[in-house]
Every structure is written in structure tokens, then in C-alpha cells.
Amino acid sequence: MAVGTVSAPGREPVLRLADVGLAFGGLQVLRHIGFVVGQREIVGLIGPNGAGKSTCFNIITSVYRPDKGEVRLNGRRVTGLRPDRICHGGIARTFQLVRTFQRMTALENVLVGAVYGRRGRRADADRQALAALAMVGLAEQRERRAAQMTLSDRRLLEIARALACAPAVVLLDEPMAGLNAIEIENTIAVIRRIRDELGIAVLWVEHKVDAIMTVCDRVVVLDHGEKIADGTPAEVIANPQVIEAYLGEPVA
């Protein structure tokens, strides 16, 4: 049983940021940020701490409104819409600090996404929630309270809740933080299934560069609020500016 997805026009990128800028007071946080996430594409968003990655996520999901530029979803301008309308339109996310409802069961957590994250589809919320739990491997834990689950499983639970919203694109904010090697491999498999089996595009912030370079179709690199690279993993990892700014090796 598959989790439903939002269809989109053929060649139009599912997500587009164009010339996005944001300042907090006198501090310019983002400058002229532009990149796309294509249909059925996994795009990594990497950079040093403070580079602007989480700010990008918050602009895409309308937690912040940019001072300039725009966000488009399947060609439609969504800049500044209420966060609930962004979610209804087809953008779902997870958080760097896990935000599950601790006293609720796994199924109840995911039902929140299935009921409130989608518009006009409440009749099949149970089916959607169970399918999302199965997609991340948590079907057998559906009656377990989130407080009793491991960190790894709670991160997967957040992904399941996002999938239950039936998104066109899902934003993953460091889903591997704090996980061991086996848990990381499991999470990588889930991310691949999201794209391969559900056809959902993924924008993924992660500090585990080896995972990003192995899984992603393209990688966007930010540094001090500016985009310094955008290309295939092979192109990005060989980019001298990326090496100097983020990968920690001096440029010859």
C-alpha cells in the first residue's frame, strides 16, 4: 500500500528558490540564493554551521519570509503563504531536533500528518498513516509511544509523519544526527525508497558528507549565506572553494 504523492507537470522543477535574500537586523543571513530540486531528485544541502541551511528550510516552509526573491512549488509562487498552506500544497519537513509527540503512539503521531497535513483527504487518513509507517519500517511499532522509542526510530517517525502529508517534496533536516553506522545505513535506505518507490523529491540537509555524496543526485553548498557550488557529488567534492570552505583541506 503506497503513500499518495502530489503530481506535477513534467519538466518543471518541483521546488525552485530564486534570488532569495534575508537579513536579521543588520546581519545578512542569505544572499542571492537560487537552486532547484527536480522531480524524483535527491538534492543535498551542505555547508558549515551558520551557512544558512536551516534558514533556507525556514523560508521554504514559510517560517520566515524572505526580504527578496521567491519560492516556487511546481511552478506556482508560494512565497509567504501560511505554513499550513505550504504543507497542504505539497512541502513537508522534519526537524534537526526531533519534534515527535512523546505521549502519543507512533500511529497517532503520523495521523497528525495524515489528517492535518493534507487538504480534503481525511477519509483515508488511517491508510495513509499505516502506509507511511510501513515505508520507514515502523509498522510493528505503531502502538508504541514515541517516548519509548529510540532516537533513530523517532527520527524515522518524523519522516513517516512528513510522508503522511502526501508531499511533492520532503525536507529532511539532519535525519542522521546522533545515529550509529547501522542506523545511518537504514536511514539511507529509507531516503532512497522515498524517491524510488514513492516518486517524492528530497531536499536533505546533512553533515555526514559521505552519505550525501553517496546518495544525492546533486549537491548545493552554502557558505556564509551564499551559494558557492551546485552540481553532481563528483563536481562538488572536487571544487576548490568547497574544499577550502567546508571539507577542511587546504587548497593548493
Side-chain angles (χ1 to χ4, degrees):
M1 187 177 293
V3 180
T5 62
V6 177
S7 61
R11 295 187 178 182
E12 180 70 35
V14 64
L15 182 68
R16 181 187 297 274
L17 275 67
D19 196 29
V20 168
L22 178 67
F24 294 136
L27 177 63
Q28 192 70 37
V29 181
L30 295 177
R31 300 177 184 85
H32 308 295
I33 299 297
F35 61 84
V36 301
V37 179
Q39 304 291 331
R40 301 179 65 96
E41 189 174 36
I42 301 176
V43 176
L45 184 61
I46 66 173
N49 289 330
K53 305 181 297 295
S54 293
T55 303
C56 274
F57 269 27
N58 285 332
I59 285 176
I60 293 167
T61 55
S62 221
V63 175
Y64 302 148
R65 182 163 189 156
D67 299 324
K68 61 176 297 187
E70 65 177 13
V71 179
R72 287 185 175 268
L73 175 66
N74 290 327
R76 183 171 69 94
R77 191 177 190 273
V78 296
T79 319
L81 293 180
R82 294 198 317 263
D84 61 314
R85 293 186 63 191
I86 294 288
C87 187
H88 291 159
I91 299 175
R93 71 172 295 180
T94 67
F95 296 88
Q96 182 179 353
L97 299 177
V98 180
R99 296 186 182 181
T100 51
F101 300 105
Q102 295 293 81
R103 295 184 180 180
M104 293 167 61
T105 67
L107 179 58
E108 290 168 340
N109 266 270
V110 181
L111 276 169
V112 171
V115 172
Y116 296 105
R118 303 176 302 148
R119 179 177 290 169
R121 300 183 183 180
R122 295 193 180 187
D124 63 345
D126 284 340
R127 179 187 62 81
Q128 287 286 126
L130 289 169
L133 284 169
M135 175 56 57
V136 303
L138 293 179
E140 294 183 358
Q141 297 195 53
R142 57 185 175 273
E143 298 302 329
R144 178 169 293 182
R145 294 186 184 276
Q148 299 171 330
M149 301 173 76
T150 65
L151 172 62
S152 174
D153 286 343
R154 282 187 285 122
R155 289 199 178 279
L156 292 173
L157 183 59
E158 272 207 325
I159 294 174
R161 187 171 60 197
L163 295 179
C165 298
V169 57
V170 62
L171 281 51
L172 303 180
D173 195 349
E174 295 196 39
M176 298 178 183
L179 305 190
N180 62 37
I182 294 174
E183 293 165 341
I184 287 171
E185 287 300 319
N186 184 45
T187 305
I188 287 174
V190 168
I191 292 171
R192 284 181 165 140
R193 288 202 299 273
I194 291 170
R195 188 267 311 277
D196 296 341
E197 298 181 22
L198 302 181
I200 297 174
V202 177
L203 179 60
W204 173 15
V205 167
E206 187 57 67
H207 281 294
K208 299 188 184 301
V209 178
D210 53 344
I212 287 285
M213 297 303 174
T214 300
V215 178
C216 291
D217 301 299
R218 287 189 304 107
V219 179
V220 176
V221 187
L222 303 184
D223 184 37
H224 292 97
E226 297 183 353
K227 186 178 77 171
I228 62 172
D230 184 345
T232 66
E235 291 168 341
V236 166
I237 205 166
N239 185 311
Q241 193 173 2
V242 175
I243 293 171
E244 185 174 38
Y246 185 53
L247 299 183
E249 299 176 13
V251 177

